[in-house]
Amino acid sequence: MSKSSGRTFFLRPQDIIGIIVLAFVLVVVLPLALDNFRLQFVGKYLTYAFVALGLVLCWGYAGILSLGQGVFFGLGGYCMAMFLKLEASSVENTKIQTTPGIPDFMDWNQITALPWFWEPFHNLGFTALAVILVPALFAFIVGFAMFKRRVGGVYFAIITQALAAIMTILIIGQQGYTGGINGITDLRTLNGWDIRTDSAKTVLYFVCVGLLLACILVAYFVKSSKLGRILVAMRDKEDRVRFSGYDVASFKVFVFCLAASLSAIGGAMFTLQVGFMSPSFVGIVPSIEMVIYTAVGGRLSILGAVYGTLLVNWAKTSFSESFPELWLFGLGGLFIAVVLAFPNGIAGLWQTYVAPHLGPLFGGAAKRTATPPAATPPAATPPTPTPPAAPPSGTAAPAAAE
């Protein structure tokens, strides 16, 4: 942190208050106000908030717009689904199959042995590492190939969108190994703990909230560090940062991998809470929706991205129940309104119209609203006598007055 700012902690007072308010809403208000069915919906919405956090760092601060974050969300979800499916595919549970002990969709596709890349997912520890490392490795390969060649802007966005389409086609085409278009379903237990019960889903909701708050702290740490300032500088003046001696490509690769890992954590929690994972969450449409969540909340606001995710998904659920044929038009109209009317999203509206009336702990409003102190005039000083000018040479000095 800057020494001149007087702060040694990476969170500002308004950031701490914002996190406490969000935690209070998610931990206290919503569980008390909603029944278990609706609370499960909120838990599912929060899994998308992990993707929005990654996009705030990647798009908002580094200027890297990715239209393929659904790929990393899906990779994390599939890693967790593979572990859960193997646990549900014990020999006892699959004794009616031609080949007991393997997932049902493999048996349907005449696969007689578990593929080698499924074997490590018998272990929960390996699965937890794979959830974070596999998407990060894939993001590293893509980012290194693109950013080292200075591919960015709209070209990078189109490439990531194409990757989402390719991944969807690959998952559907390899039905015997991935479950195809239906995905990996019938997930029952986590190390013997039945995740299908209402009590289990409530516990998983609070686990999701805890992980989300931890990821929010990570995002704030990155934002407040020197790395965060370099990311903002790259977004605004990339050539100047490069000429200053920084390896711009390496910073871009890092933040892209970090966003991928955050998205993957959300995908893993989605699989645990919803009970399946399919290619419908990997493709172009869900990836663009995830960008909309971030844009509505505010692509420069970490907490705003969470609120935007909750708002858009709540509206999607509510309107799709009442107006199922008009929801997509509403979603498109919402994105257009954000771009044209309030490009900084909900967070921008808060900072402009609400925070100035709430005091300095909410966005530094005191600097904009406080009346400057009246200037105090300096004390009067007696005038200094000016000596008379010397007479020109040859001229007699005037006689002093009597």
Side-chain angles (χ1 to χ4, degrees):
M1 299 304 299
S2 175
K3 293 183 180 179
S4 61
S5 64
R7 289 186 290 115
T8 58
F9 193 50
F10 64 90
L11 291 175
R12 301 172 299 175
Q14 55 264 38
D15 298 333
I16 297 175
I17 293 176
I19 294 174
I20 292 174
V21 170
L22 177 63
F24 181 77
V25 170
L26 296 179
V27 176
V28 178
V29 176
L30 293 181
L32 293 177
L34 302 177
D35 56 34
N36 195 59
F37 177 75
R38 292 294 178 182
L39 190 64
Q40 293 173 20
F41 273 100
V42 177
K44 185 180 75 170
Y45 303 159
L46 290 178
T47 62
Y48 299 132
F50 290 88
V51 188
L53 283 179
L55 281 170
V56 168
L57 296 176
C58 186
W59 178 32
Y61 286 97
I64 306 168
L65 176 58
S66 171
L67 298 180
Q69 292 302 102
V71 172
F72 310 116
F73 184 85
L75 285 175
Y78 268 97
C79 287
M80 181 58 68
M82 290 166 73
F83 171 80
L84 298 176
K85 188 63 176 178
L86 288 177
E87 187 170 339
S89 302
S90 62
V91 175
E92 182 180 353
N93 292 336
T94 58
K95 57 186 177 182
I96 63 173
Q97 295 179 180
T98 304
T99 306
I102 65 173
D104 48 11
F105 56 83
M106 293 185 183
D107 189 65
W108 300 337
N109 287 273
Q110 289 78 49
I111 295 178
T112 57
L114 191 67
W116 64 268
F117 56 87
W118 273 74
E119 289 287 352
F121 289 94
H122 281 290
N123 183 273
L124 180 59
F126 175 87
T127 301
L129 289 176
V131 164
I132 298 175
L133 297 181
V134 170
L137 178 61
F138 184 70
F140 176 81
I141 295 172
V142 174
F144 189 86
M146 296 295 104
F147 298 136
K148 287 297 182 179
R149 291 167 175 79
R150 299 190 183 181
V151 176
V154 66
Y155 303 103
F156 182 79
I158 293 174
I159 290 173
T160 54
Q161 191 176 52
L163 286 175
I166 293 171
M167 186 63 69
T168 303
I169 295 172
L170 180 63
I171 293 173
I172 295 175
Q174 298 298 318
Q175 179 173 327
Y177 301 104
T178 63
I181 195 169
N182 295 322
I184 301 178
T185 59
D186 193 25
L187 309 178
R188 306 172 186 175
T189 60
L190 176 66
N191 270 359
W193 179 48
D194 193 345
I195 61 174
R196 297 169 295 179
T197 64
D198 289 341
S199 61
K201 291 185 180 296
T202 302
V203 172
L204 289 172
Y205 167 81
F206 286 107
V207 172
C208 184
V209 171
L211 288 175
L212 179 62
L213 293 176
C215 290
I216 287 174
L217 292 177
V218 171
Y220 268 115
F221 179 77
V222 172
K223 171 190 171 183
S224 304
S225 64
K226 181 180 179 181
L227 171 62
R229 296 192 291 273
I230 293 175
L231 294 178
V232 173
M234 289 191 321
R235 179 195 66 195
D236 297 335
K237 297 289 183 180
E238 181 176 329
D239 288 336
R240 181 173 296 181
V241 175
R242 183 179 288 110
F243 294 153
S244 298
Y246 290 99
D247 188 353
V248 171
S250 297
F251 285 105
K252 287 186 174 182
V253 170
F254 173 80
V255 74
F256 187 52
C257 292
L258 178 60
S261 297
L262 292 175
S263 302
I265 294 173
M269 291 306 304
F270 178 91
T271 301
L272 285 170
Q273 294 186 84
V274 180
F276 76 98
M277 175 53 68
S278 75
S280 60
F281 301 101
V282 178
I284 295 175
V285 173
S287 296
I288 294 179
E289 287 184 354
M290 292 166 185
V291 174
I292 294 176
Y293 304 155
T294 309
V296 171
R299 65 188 180 97
L300 296 176
S301 173
I302 293 172
L303 296 180
V306 178
Y307 288 113
T309 303
L310 292 174
L311 175 63
V312 174
N313 280 280
W314 171 82
K316 179 179 179 180
T317 300
S318 302
F319 291 130
S320 61
E321 291 175 354
S322 304
F323 310 100
E325 297 179 356
L326 300 178
W327 159 243
L328 289 178
F329 295 99
L331 184 65
L334 179 63
F335 188 62
I336 293 173
V338 168
V339 173
L340 296 179
F342 45 104
N344 291 326
I346 297 173
L349 295 177
W350 170 272
Q351 290 293 335
T352 303
Y353 299 106
V354 180
H357 304 288
L358 297 180
L361 291 180
F362 295 87
K367 294 182 180 180
R368 295 189 293 269
T369 59
T371 303
T376 303
T381 56
T384 303
T386 304
S393 62
T395 305
E402 294 288 341

